[in-house]
Amino acid sequence: MIVSAHAMAMEFTLHVDDSVDKDVLATTMDHVERDLIWVDEVFSTFKEDSCISRIGRGETTVEECPPAVAQVLDMCAEYRDATGGAFDAVRPDGRIDPTGIVKTWAMERVRWRLDSLPVRGWMWGCAGDATVSGQGPDDGRVWRVGIAHPESRFQSVGTVVLGGRRTAIATSGTTIHADHIWPTTDDGARYVQASVVGDDLVACDAWATAIVAGGEKAALAAQEHGLDVLALRLVDGKVLADRSPGWSWAA
Amino acid sequence: MKTSRAFMVGGAAAAALTAGWALTPKDSSTSAYASTSDSTDTSSSDSDGTYTGEAVQTRYGVYQVEITVSGGEVTDVTLVQEGETDHESEQIKSVALPELIQEVLDTQSSDVTYVSGASFTSEGFAQSVADAFDQAGL
């Protein structure tokens, strides 16, 4: 069954097996939703009174905010360095904007709550990113996940399997796809969409963003961090994929 | 085409998909937000007019929508600003690197529990729409 939590103007969905105790599930999801809403109140760049907005206006400091703020900003700095700047939570105008990673960070942050559910396994997803734990509903007790076509999100260009140590997948894309061709340049290929599979949703998310921003070099660098990569280009209406050797398509 | 399992579980999941997948804004906006205006049960036409939402900055650029209200219902939603890819943060360290394997992919129908796709614009787009609705008093 699928239940959901609403926060950050998005819907977060939890897939669990039907045997779950409905009361326990409802209580857990209530806590999960409150956690997500708290994260939104602290980190939203769309809310005038969030810590991030107030830091941006110079009205408060990181030290005066909840410790989670320093934790997320440190994490953003680590990913900026690891990706050579392709993932960057500082906007061109100098304001801090960790939006790109806060959602998946918030999802990983409630993992302990989901793991306390009396279920065989779960999948926790939002806006095309997902992480799993335990056993899945599909053949082989895994989760089958489709990779969306860059221009048509209800069609997929392939299927991968999550389970075992491959517990997370994140996909990032550019927002203008139609008639947009990204050629290979001297700097390497540029991509309209990148999916990253690994064992940490935040890392997958940061690297997927980095690959869309930074192209082929980021796609190669992600592999050095133990991640599997699928990066897509559109050429003459065809979807051309660059994938890491470890990326495996499900039948 | 065989629909995926996630698509067949009814209303709640359909809403999840709409919110989560952020269909190409121009395709999804009219139907998605027209139905929102229905649920507000606004019968007066005091709010008729055109409202421009807040311009929302995202990693990939600025998003801004404009809604047209007629007879108390939203009749059109258009994007007046669409994001552009930020080319400013492209420097990557050059290091000795692993390889990439190239292949051509076709769309396929398959039975899956989830679809992984990009949706970064959803927040910015939703925010701008919400602001336009506020201005229209809907």
Side-chain angles (χ1 to χ4, degrees):
Chain A
M1 67 184 297
I2 302 174
V3 291
S4 63
H6 300 263
M8 310 179 190
M10 289 182 287
E11 182 146 18
F12 295 76
T13 52
L14 183 72
H15 304 237
V16 290
D17 48 89
D18 292 334
S19 66
V20 65
D21 181 310
K22 304 297 184 292
D23 290 338
V24 172
L25 181 61
T27 304
T28 298
M29 289 306 286
D30 186 40
H31 285 293
V32 163
E33 188 170 74
R34 285 172 203 220
D35 284 352
L36 297 173
I37 289 169
W38 182 82
V39 169
D40 194 32
E41 285 166 357
V42 170
F43 289 94
S44 176
T45 55
F46 302 134
K47 293 186 193 302
E48 286 293 306
D49 58 350
S50 72
C51 287
I52 292 298
S53 294
R54 291 169 60 224
I55 290 169
R57 293 194 301 269
E59 295 169 9
T60 189
T61 62
V62 173
E63 291 72 26
E64 287 170 347
C65 291
V69 173
Q71 197 183 333
V72 167
L73 295 183
D74 285 351
M75 190 178 65
C76 288
E78 282 169 23
Y79 283 118
R80 181 196 60 217
D81 293 346
T83 63
F87 175 92
D88 195 345
V90 177
R91 299 195 318 216
D93 65 7
R95 286 236 181 158
I96 300 168
D97 184 0
T99 307
I101 209 168
V102 161
K103 181 197 78 185
T104 47
W105 174 79
M107 289 173 73
E108 283 286 359
R109 190 165 175 266
V110 298
R111 170 177 286 273
W112 67 275
R113 291 198 191 277
L114 304 179
D115 270 336
S116 72
L117 284 169
V119 293
R120 287 188 297 275
W122 48 259
M123 167 180 269
W124 177 223
C126 179
D129 302 329
T131 181
V132 304
S133 180
Q135 299 176 2
D138 298 318
D139 286 349
R141 295 178 177 176
V142 295
W143 282 266
R144 289 170 58 84
V145 176
I147 303 297
H149 188 288
E151 291 187 311
S152 165
R153 293 184 177 127
F154 290 98
Q155 287 188 297
S156 66
V157 294
T159 302
V160 295
V161 159
L162 292 186
R165 287 189 202 164
R166 297 158 58 88
T167 56
I169 184 165
T171 296
S172 292
T174 60
T175 52
I176 24 179
H177 296 146
D179 304 322
H180 216 91
I181 294 166
W182 293 74
T184 300
T185 68
D186 291 346
D187 292 332
R190 313 265 316 155
Y191 304 109
V192 295
Q193 180 175 305
S195 299
V196 176
V197 169
D199 63 2
D200 177 80
L201 185 59
V202 182
C204 293
D205 188 22
W207 278 98
T209 304
I211 291 165
V212 171
E216 189 172 343
K217 288 178 182 172
L220 293 164
Q223 296 174 44
E224 299 199 321
H225 294 263
L227 301 166
D228 281 315
V229 170
L230 176 76
L232 306 181
R233 283 182 286 152
L234 295 170
V235 178
D236 298 332
K238 290 201 191 96
V239 179
L240 283 189
D242 283 348
R243 66 170 174 85
S244 56
W247 181 275
S248 56
W249 293 112
Chain B
M1 171 180 155
K2 221 157 113 189
T3 49
S4 85
R5 197 171 314 152
F7 295 170
M8 298 193 292
V9 292
L17 294 170
T18 308
W21 264 256
L23 306 162
T24 308
K26 276 174 181 162
D27 293 343
S28 68
S29 54
T30 309
S31 59
Y33 294 103
S35 65
T36 306
S37 78
D38 291 345
S39 66
T40 61
D41 197 23
T42 306
S43 52
S44 89
S45 52
D46 293 346
S47 53
D48 285 4
T50 301
Y51 301 89
T52 305
E54 174 191 3
V56 177
Q57 173 78 42
T58 74
R59 177 168 293 276
Y60 296 119
V62 178
Y63 283 79
Q64 188 170 30
V65 300
E66 187 176 88
I67 64 171
T68 304
V69 181
S70 177
E73 291 197 1
V74 177
T75 56
D76 194 22
V77 182
T78 53
L79 268 179
V80 293
Q81 281 197 64
E82 255 184 293
E84 289 182 14
T85 305
D86 173 14
H87 290 283
E88 297 200 12
S89 51
E90 287 177 15
Q91 313 93 347
I92 298 286
K93 286 174 197 158
S94 76
V95 275
L97 294 167
E99 62 176 322
L100 289 165
I101 296 163
Q102 199 169 97
E103 58 196 11
V104 180
L105 303 180
D106 289 320
T107 56
Q108 53 173 240
S109 55
S110 57
D111 189 19
V112 296
T113 298
Y114 196 78
V115 175
S116 188
S119 69
F120 190 87
T121 59
S122 65
E123 289 162 86
F125 182 68
Q127 180 74 12
S128 191
V129 169
D131 185 61
F133 269 77
D134 280 351
Q135 288 183 43
L138 294 174

